[in-house]
Amino acid sequence: MTRALSIKQKFIVMIVILVLPTVAISFWHYFDIVKKQTVEVAHHNQDLASSVAAKLDNLIAETFSLIRTVSAHPAVLAGNSAEIDPLFAKLLPSFPLRLNILAADRNGNNIGSAVPDPQARSLNYLDREWFCRARSGMEVIGNIHSSKMFKRAAVMMAAPVCNGNGKIVGVVGVPFDLRKLNAVMATSWHKRPQTSLVVVDSNGMVLVDTEEPGMVGSKFSKNLVPCNIAAVDSPHYHWVDSKGIERLVSVAPVDGRGWTVIATIPLSKARELALSISRVSLLVSFSAGLMAMMLAWWFGRTMIREMKELLTGMGEIERGNLEYSMKLSGTAELEHVAESFNEMAERLRRSEAELRALNAELEQRVTKRTIQLEHANKELESFSYSVSHDLNAPLRRLAGFSRVLLEDYGERLDDEGQRIAERIEHASQQMAEMVNGMLNLSRLSRGDFRRQTVDLSAMSREILNGLAGCCPERRVHSDIADNIRIDADPSLLRVLMENLLGNAWKYTRTREQAEIAVGVLNQGGQKIFFVRDNGVGFDLSRADRLFTPFQRMHREEEFEGDGIGLATVQRIVHRHGGRVWAEAAVDEGATFFFTLEG
């Protein structure tokens, strides 16, 4: 059986027939095209250098915009590490190519880092030139250095943090990850093969080298030799690289940043393109001959017939007919294509069957877990009812017996006995309130939940009017912003505001003139609601206990309460997908902030 010629073999036969009468023409075309392609390559190389310079300028501008934004954040101005770390950690994923976002106080001590590291707080940046320059009031691009935290080459972008009085209280810095920048520029920022990019700073240090990454951090030492290219206005150079290849060089500055982008491409690339175009030109010229037409017709007819079969098979697979089997003949390559196609269809059939089985199993698991969850919820509700019923009844009896003991046998008890009986009654009542509080807290996570637009201003005034009606002798000035609209569950929102305003009312009762305010802030397109008072405040260092059930910030002898109010507030905020936090100082009042996503 005679083996059919491959496509490659047929093409060689055609080339042999065509090449002999056209050799002389090819030389003439070649040198003319070399000159034109060199000009085109030079233009492309200069455009590439300018494009990369513009991208670097955008990255730097974006980084300084980020620095200016976080420098104005209250947590950064206050040097509050507990809030700075999560703030920076939330921002960092949105800014690739950056190693970290960090903050330091005026003495160079680290007070914030987007990347958690036990050693971060021990770092000091007084020995870094970028810190000293930024602390003097400038936005700076530092020199290349080894990051203290990551132990890799980086360039720091930094700017001062100024308080409301214009005083510099610290520095915010964002280091560029030169390893990632090198990788991105090598893979994504240029398309033409064999093109390489180098970035050097104002000191002549190499920041990026896509051809030789090991040169990053060293002094740029290439000798740029000027060269003139017709029809190209911008200056170009050439050098011989470490592999002995002569390369065409284009240069573009990063505007106002002190960096320079150098793009290079082998001069041989222009000759390769010229040779390729000359070959195409010669083939087109020879196709005018009768023999070329006959060969092209014969070859084209064979290929078209097989390509139609290939397209038919692809269409069947696209329509979902995985049982289709392709049959191609005529060349070894096409027979191989048919075999590969049929193997692919068989793999798709197996994958589809496995996927269907996996989906069926997954649906069964979801159904089973749903039933288990419903059963667990019913058991939890039953347990909650049992706690309420079984504990409240003995507590009521205990309170009743202690009251009977005081009323009927009080004369027989001495002062100590009466005091003990009163403490038993008070403790039983307090325990009943705690049980009911925990039961109500658990119910907040269940039940219907429906959002609608609520007038928070009107609700706040209604609650404060009710509190004022109970204590008409108190002098309280309320400042409630008008027309505060919020999307929330109305009943849950009322419970939340009753707790926050009730606390504000309670903890300002020692003030001759109490001040209570309700308002809203807009930060980055997000609404942040707040309740502020001028009451007794609390020690913010104990804020980790603030929203824990039964954890009180004041003694019961000073202010009554069951310790469940702020836990209820947090549970309601979390059910709305928001967050709640507080700012306070002893004897200087407190402010509670919350967001309700949706």
Side-chain angles (χ1 to χ4, degrees):
M1 181 177 180
T2 304
R3 183 180 178 85
L5 289 175
S6 67
I7 294 176
K8 183 178 180 180
Q9 291 169 334
K10 293 178 180 178
F11 191 74
I12 290 174
V13 172
M14 293 177 63
I15 292 298
V16 169
I17 297 173
L18 294 174
V19 74
L20 293 178
T22 57
V23 170
I25 300 174
S26 66
F27 281 103
W28 183 82
H29 278 284
Y30 174 77
F31 291 104
D32 182 58
I33 295 173
V34 164
K35 183 186 297 183
K36 294 178 181 178
Q37 288 302 312
T38 300
V39 172
E40 181 181 341
V41 168
H43 278 301
H44 176 273
N45 213 42
Q46 185 62 47
D47 290 344
L48 174 62
S50 300
S51 172
V52 171
K55 290 180 179 179
L56 288 174
D57 184 61
N58 288 337
L59 277 176
I60 294 171
E62 181 185 68
T63 302
F64 278 122
S65 176
L66 166 65
I67 292 173
R68 287 190 287 270
T69 300
V70 301
S71 295
H73 195 279
V76 177
L77 290 171
N80 189 340
S81 298
E83 293 185 20
I84 293 175
D85 288 348
L87 170 68
F88 285 2
K90 184 178 181 180
L91 290 172
L92 185 59
S94 301
F95 296 88
L97 304 181
R98 284 76 166 185
L99 277 170
N100 196 4
I101 305 174
L102 59 87
D105 62 21
R106 185 169 177 81
N107 297 320
N109 298 311
N110 183 291
I111 60 171
S113 172
V115 179
D117 188 331
Q119 305 299 323
R121 291 293 179 270
S122 65
L123 296 179
N124 186 279
Y125 305 104
L126 274 176
D127 60 338
R128 293 301 194 186
E129 51 84 23
W130 57 263
F131 176 84
C132 297
R133 290 162 59 200
R135 191 176 63 170
S136 67
M138 297 187 298
E139 289 186 347
V140 301
I141 300 176
N143 298 329
I144 185 171
H145 66 282
S146 177
S147 169
K148 286 188 175 184
M149 184 179 297
F150 299 95
K151 311 302 181 187
R152 68 173 69 171
V155 171
M156 183 69 72
M157 312 290 165
V161 177
C162 299
N163 61 18
N165 299 323
K167 181 181 179 181
I168 298 175
V169 295
V171 171
V172 171
V174 178
F176 264 94
D177 188 346
L178 295 184
R179 182 188 302 173
K180 288 185 179 179
L181 182 62
N182 201 91
V184 168
M185 291 179 64
T187 57
S188 304
W189 286 13
H190 62 82
K191 302 297 183 182
R192 196 183 288 270
Q194 302 182 44
T195 302
S196 68
L197 293 169
V198 178
V199 180
V200 297
D201 64 13
S202 58
N203 298 319
M205 302 301 293
V206 177
L207 305 180
V208 174
D209 191 330
T210 61
E211 187 74 14
E212 298 179 77
M215 296 300 294
V216 172
S218 62
K219 193 76 173 178
F220 183 75
S221 59
K222 298 291 186 181
N223 182 26
L224 298 180
V225 180
C227 62
N228 295 321
I229 301 175
V232 178
D233 297 329
S234 56
H236 282 75
Y237 310 87
H238 66 88
W239 77 46
V240 178
D241 64 15
S242 59
K243 299 178 182 178
I245 299 174
E246 187 177 10
R247 305 183 74 90
L248 179 66
V249 181
S250 301
V251 177
V254 180
D255 189 26
R257 309 297 187 181
W259 292 4
T260 302
V261 176
I262 302 172
T264 74
I265 188 171
L267 282 173
S268 59
K269 193 67 181 175
R271 301 186 185 100
E272 292 173 3
L273 292 170
L275 184 59
S276 175
I277 294 174
S278 296
R279 184 183 299 118
V280 173
S281 177
L282 295 175
L283 290 174
V284 171
S285 299
F286 186 79
S287 64
L290 178 62
M291 186 176 293
M293 293 176 61
M294 293 177 61
L295 290 173
W297 176 82
W298 170 72
F299 183 70
R301 183 181 179 185
T302 303
M303 289 297 298
I304 289 172
R305 183 177 64 250
E306 304 302 342
M307 288 301 297
K308 284 183 178 179
E309 174 62 20
L310 179 60
L311 292 173
T312 300
M314 293 173 64
E316 292 294 326
I317 293 296
E318 183 180 3
R319 288 189 290 272
N321 182 13
L322 300 181
E323 301 298 328
Y324 186 84
S325 178
M326 183 179 293
K327 297 181 176 64
L328 295 177
S329 60
T331 66
E333 286 83 358
L334 291 174
E335 290 175 359
H336 180 68
V337 168
E339 292 175 1
S340 299
F341 182 91
N342 293 333
E343 290 175 0
M344 179 191 69
E346 177 60 28
R347 287 195 297 271
L348 288 174
R349 287 193 290 271
R350 290 197 299 265
S351 298
E352 184 182 37
E354 292 172 358
L355 184 60
R356 287 177 178 172
L358 184 61
N359 285 337
E361 182 183 356
L362 183 59
E363 289 178 359
Q364 291 176 357
R365 289 183 180 179
V366 170
T367 302
K368 182 178 178 181
R369 295 294 166 81
T370 301
I371 294 173
Q372 291 174 346
L373 181 59
E374 292 175 351
H375 182 66
N377 285 335
K378 291 179 180 178
E379 288 183 347
L380 181 60
E381 292 176 0
S382 176
F383 175 74
S384 298
Y385 175 79
S386 175
V387 168
S388 175
H389 182 271
D390 295 347
L391 289 182
N392 275 322
L395 290 171
R396 285 194 299 269
R397 288 197 295 270
L398 184 60
F401 287 145
S402 62
R403 173 52 51 191
V404 169
L405 183 62
L406 287 170
E407 293 176 354
D408 296 346
Y409 300 95
E411 297 178 355
R412 303 181 187 180
L413 299 174
D414 57 12
D415 291 343
E416 180 65 17
Q418 290 184 4
R419 188 182 66 81
I420 292 174
E422 289 174 352
R423 290 186 63 183
I424 292 173
E425 181 183 18
H426 177 71
S428 61
Q429 291 174 349
Q430 189 178 32
M431 183 64 182
E433 291 175 358
M434 292 171 66
V435 169
N436 289 330
M438 284 300 294
L439 183 59
N440 291 332
L441 185 62
S442 67
R443 287 172 178 165
L444 290 175
S445 300
R446 304 189 303 276
D448 295 335
F449 179 84
R450 51 188 180 81
R451 285 183 183 269
Q452 65 184 62
T453 302
V454 181
D455 187 341
L456 186 62
S457 301
M459 180 182 288
S460 300
R461 293 190 181 98
E462 181 182 343
I463 294 171
L464 284 175
N465 289 337
L467 292 170
C470 297
C471 303
E473 72 282 358
R474 287 191 56 184
R475 296 176 57 191
V476 179
H477 175 262
S478 60
D479 181 12
I480 300 175
D482 293 327
N483 199 29
I484 304 177
R485 302 288 178 175
I486 183 172
D487 289 331
D489 184 286
S491 59
L492 292 180
L493 182 61
R494 176 169 288 276
V495 174
L496 182 150
M497 293 304 295
E498 285 175 348
N499 277 283
L500 291 181
L501 291 173
N503 280 353
W505 187 271
K506 176 169 60 176
Y507 292 118
T508 56
R509 71 186 181 196
T510 61
R511 299 292 190 251
E512 181 178 350
Q513 177 65 54
E515 301 284 346
I516 299 176
V518 178
V520 60
L521 305 173
N522 283 288
Q523 291 187 359
Q526 182 184 43
K527 289 185 177 181
I528 301 177
F529 307 92
F530 66 85
V531 176
R532 179 184 297 120
D533 65 68
N534 67 336
V536 296
F538 56 86
D539 185 357
L540 201 59
S541 65
R542 301 165 59 200
D544 57 327
R545 303 168 48 194
L546 195 59
F547 299 102
T548 304
F550 309 123
Q551 296 293 321
R552 296 171 50 82
M553 308 300 284
H554 303 278
R555 296 195 307 274
E556 188 176 0
E557 294 80 10
E558 298 176 323
F559 297 96
E560 72 284 353
D562 55 12
I564 206 72
L566 289 179
T568 301
V569 169
Q570 186 186 58
R571 187 71 59 89
I572 293 172
V573 169
H574 285 178
R575 190 164 186 197
H576 283 80
R579 62 190 184 97
V580 59
W581 68 98
E583 295 179 358
V586 176
D587 206 36
E588 295 182 11
T591 305
F592 284 83
F593 301 90
F594 64 92
T595 64
L596 301 181
E597 301 294 339

